[in-house]
Amino acid sequence: MRLGVNVLNFGPGTDPGVLRQWARTVEGLGFDLLMVSDHVAVTPDVAAQYPAPFFEPFTTLSWLAGVTDRVRLGTTVLVAPYRHPLLTARMAANLNDLSGGRFVLGVGVGWARQEYQALGVPFERRGALTDDMLRVVREAWANESDYRARDIPVWVGGNSAAGRRRAVRFGDAWHPLRFESGWLHGSVDRLKADADAMGRPVPALAPRIVLRLTDAPLTAPGRLAGEGSIEQITGDLEELRLLGSDTVVLDPFGGDPAETHHPERAWQALAAVAAHWNPRGTP
């Protein structure tokens, strides 16, 4: 099982120098994947959680590809309806080509109603538009002589039943986001049932969990996977490995924009995971 990191590409403490440090830290600690999130218009609903400046994912990842050598680069998640499908197909394929085949396209439907309105995209049709985008992108990439997409992995985000089914229809992996410890057990069974019902292969599992390291174990109900003592966090990772996860993405953002002024705290937590994570049975 490989580990990735959701890098903060937004907020008052984020600038090109900090993003460069994020990329070099993630790669230097041995993580396999660096991912960033997506917003286009920082409307009030977006700004409340992800304030400006917001670095657009394709632009940012293209630049970070030039300051890294090994780490894969991806989106968690690109809001599918925000861009024309052929534009997304082109940008993703170009980024993959320019980075030496290191790109992972994670997509989702999004949630920011005001941002949808600012972009002139109907919020009520976000599910259908996401399906259309995934279909068109796949069809475009079939023209290998033009797009040179070279089998870009597509991860489909969303914890709902609709997101699961969309992952079965269009995705190489299902990418559920930030959930309570133990929640994924039943969802994996439902993913397999959905695939059987559609006569489709079961997509790989690539969850994104929080990363919040505490000095003492958390014992209250409702603990999220990835928060607590280092023993709890590595236990969660082992549980996800045993469930068949291909990749797990760690998300160190706790929700306070002030965190972006102190990325070294997230880097310390990532270093702790890198030092302690040793899958059972690995020398």
Side-chain angles (χ1 to χ4, degrees):
M1 185 180 79
R2 295 174 286 189
L3 295 184
V5 178
N6 182 27
V7 165
L8 281 60
N9 57 318
F10 57 85
T14 301
D15 60 30
V18 171
L19 286 167
R20 184 190 297 111
Q21 287 180 277
W22 265 107
R24 290 177 174 168
T25 298
V26 169
E27 186 167 69
L29 288 171
F31 289 96
D32 176 73
L33 176 63
L34 179 161
M35 306 192 91
V36 297
S37 53
D38 179 34
H39 286 287
V40 176
V42 185
T43 48
D45 51 354
V46 174
Q49 298 185 49
Y50 307 104
F54 204 103
F55 288 80
E56 193 277 331
F58 283 113
T59 310
T60 302
L61 292 174
S62 294
W63 180 63
L64 293 180
V67 299
T68 55
D69 299 309
R70 174 195 56 80
V71 71
R72 293 189 297 163
L73 308 158
T75 53
T76 178
V77 286
L78 192 83
V79 184
Y82 284 177
R83 299 164 182 85
H84 191 285
L86 290 178
L87 176 62
T88 297
R90 180 70 62 189
M91 290 192 296
N94 288 168
L95 174 52
N96 190 61
D97 208 8
L98 291 167
S99 66
R102 290 191 279 151
F103 184 56
V104 176
L105 178 63
V107 303
V109 300
W111 54 269
R113 186 181 292 269
Q114 292 173 343
E115 187 175 24
Y116 265 87
Q117 184 177 7
L119 295 171
V121 182
F123 183 80
E124 295 75 14
R125 296 196 63 239
R126 63 194 185 281
L129 290 170
T130 299
D131 290 349
D132 289 344
M133 173 268 194
L134 288 164
R135 188 178 300 108
V136 171
V137 165
R138 291 286 198 190
E139 291 172 355
W141 286 349
N143 185 344
E144 178 64 21
S145 64
D146 183 4
Y147 286 86
R148 295 165 52 93
R150 292 193 292 176
D151 299 320
I152 297 171
V154 175
W155 294 6
V156 178
N159 297 16
S160 66
R164 263 194 343 262
R165 291 192 292 267
R166 184 172 292 114
V168 171
R169 289 198 303 271
F170 299 109
D172 298 299
W174 180 40
H175 185 47
L177 312 176
R178 299 174 70 104
F179 44 82
E180 289 187 9
S181 178
W183 171 82
L184 202 55
H185 284 272
S187 297
V188 167
D189 292 338
R190 288 187 285 273
L191 180 70
K192 293 176 180 176
D194 289 337
D196 290 343
M198 296 183 203
R200 303 276 300 170
V202 179
L205 186 62
R208 188 180 97 198
I209 63 174
V210 304
L211 175 60
R212 186 170 77 87
L213 181 61
T214 60
D215 293 331
L218 299 181
T219 58
R223 182 182 71 87
L224 297 177
E227 65 176 355
S229 66
I230 190 63
E231 291 79 15
Q232 285 179 306
I233 293 170
T234 55
D236 290 335
L237 291 174
E238 176 65 11
E239 180 181 354
L240 294 172
R241 185 186 74 84
L242 292 174
L243 277 175
S245 297
D246 172 82
T247 303
V248 174
V249 179
L250 302 172
D251 183 357
F253 183 52
D256 182 357
E259 296 173 40
T260 62
H261 288 293
H262 304 285
E264 64 277 0
R265 297 172 184 170
W267 300 340
Q268 290 166 2
L270 290 168
V273 172
H276 288 84
W277 167 240
N278 184 34
R280 191 172 300 166
T282 300

